[in-house]
Amino acid sequence: MPVHSNKALTVLGLGDMGSALTRSWLAAGYAVTVWNRSPRRAPAGAAVAATAATAVAANTLVVVCLLDDAAVRATLDGIDLTGRDIVNLTTSTPAEARALSEWITARGGRFLDGGIMAVPSMIGVADSGAYVFYSGATELHEANAEALAVPAGVNYVGADPGFAALYDIALLSAMWGMFAGAAHAFALIGKEDISPMAFAPLMVAYQQAMAGYAYGTAAQLARGDYAEGVESNLAMMVTTNGTLLRTAAEQGVSAELLTPFMALMERRVAEGGGKESTTGVVDLLRR
Ligand code: FVH
């Protein structure tokens, strides 16, 4: 018989993230049943199930944290999900999450998708800033609110099961842009006698100062006017891009991380957007 308790749950997946999640629930006094595809050392105190089916049968609340959507499908295929609350913390696309929701609901379960905005070392650590976007079955979210709040903060973004993935991937995509810029900057200084350790705080401070740019972009998108209140216009930025490219060439660094964005900036200027900020690039990306 499954355990219907606010203090018991199953975790499928003992990778870096699944293990961190499990440890956080164990530390909070939860009884946790775990399963992993291949033998791995389970966090001390967890009950190890021999099969995924046994693990799912053990508790009403089942948290899934596997590599990708295909792994989730392969693991849950053929298992009785009647009456189960499935919380999927595997990174997925919005369409994958919506399809998974239908697949699970059709088999008698309730579904909540989650996008974890943290790395494993932040899980279960108070004030680490870790949180999870959730979307999908409101009743599941409300019924398990206490358990879901243990590993990280909770940000429920609505009943559409695809929304958590969309918020998650949108923020991850923004992060790649930041990482790409940092990689290019470190490459630029790399051949000189400049310490990366001394340079890093300068980069962090500048990126933090520029991060507020997103508020201006959001306001312009909301107004539909991309030229009002612009301090740094696109025509000027496109000219400056030439200096960035010449510097990359001088330092023997490939500009391949920069050129796709620069090409879009140039296109927007060519189409008459020279007095705008970079907001018009958003429109160029929408297909
Ligand atoms: N770690 C991180 O920094 C990020 C933070 C944000 C959220 N992600 C997502 O979390 C999912 C799991 O990530 P992870 O860090 O736990 O990943 P791994 O340590 O590589 O563990 C992968 C687990 O998935 C199992 N697995 C892989 N393929 C299958 C399959 N076909 N069937 C069943 N299980 C599968 C794997 O099992 P094994 O290789 O040990 O047998 C691990 O349990 C992920 O979506 C991140 O994007 C983490």
Side-chain angles (χ1 to χ4, degrees):
M1 285 290 287
V3 177
H4 298 274
S5 160
N6 290 336
K7 284 278 197 180
L9 74 156
T10 286
V11 175
L12 302 180
L14 289 178
D16 293 334
M17 187 51 85
S19 295
L21 293 166
T22 301
R23 282 193 296 273
S24 74
W25 276 305
L26 288 167
Y30 283 70
V32 188
T33 302
V34 296
W35 171 86
N36 197 64
R37 175 183 61 171
S38 58
R40 284 204 191 208
R41 185 183 299 171
V48 179
T51 65
T54 317
V56 170
N59 293 298
T60 301
L61 178 58
V62 178
V63 174
V64 187
C65 189
L66 300 172
L67 188 61
D68 58 13
D69 181 65
V72 176
R73 292 274 185 161
T75 299
L76 294 181
D77 196 25
I79 293 180
D80 184 7
L81 300 180
T82 312
R84 291 296 169 279
D85 281 347
I86 307 292
V87 178
N88 181 36
L89 298 183
T90 306
T91 305
S92 317
T93 73
E96 285 168 351
R98 288 175 185 131
L100 192 61
S101 177
E102 281 181 22
W103 192 60
I104 283 167
T105 308
R107 292 161 61 194
R110 295 193 295 192
F111 181 77
L112 192 67
D113 198 60
I116 303 174
M117 306 314 299
V119 294
S121 60
M122 295 163 72
I123 297 298
V125 177
D127 301 327
S128 69
Y131 71 93
V132 181
F133 286 120
Y134 287 104
S135 71
T138 314
E139 318 75 47
L140 189 172
H141 168 249
E142 287 170 356
N144 296 285
E146 203 178 310
L148 296 179
V150 168
V154 172
N155 188 344
Y156 180 73
V157 290
D160 183 332
F163 267 28
L166 185 57
Y167 277 78
D168 178 12
I169 300 301
L171 292 188
L172 281 182
S173 302
M175 184 181 76
W176 279 167
M178 184 178 77
F179 286 5
H184 184 82
F186 277 123
L188 282 182
I189 65 158
K191 286 186 182 158
E192 312 293 347
D193 186 18
I194 300 173
S195 158
M197 294 299 287
F199 188 72
L202 301 175
M203 186 171 358
V204 169
Y206 191 66
Q207 285 181 331
Q208 283 173 343
M210 290 298 108
Y213 193 72
Y215 290 120
T217 303
Q220 289 188 337
L221 286 168
R223 281 200 309 266
D225 178 346
Y226 303 164
E228 193 187 320
V230 169
E231 286 188 285
S232 307
N233 71 69
L234 204 53
M236 173 277 293
M237 286 193 246
V238 164
T239 301
T240 305
N241 284 348
T243 311
L244 268 66
L245 293 173
R246 291 195 305 280
T247 303
E250 286 172 15
Q251 296 302 111
V253 169
S254 165
E256 62 196 301
L257 288 173
L258 302 184
T259 46
F261 188 57
M262 290 176 170
L264 287 163
M265 294 165 85
E266 279 171 36
R267 212 169 103 203
R268 188 70 185 180
V269 170
E271 290 174 4
K275 290 192 165 61
E276 299 174 354
S277 67
T278 54
T279 305
V281 169
V282 178
D283 285 355
L284 295 182
L285 291 175
R286 287 176 176 146
R287 291 184 180 148

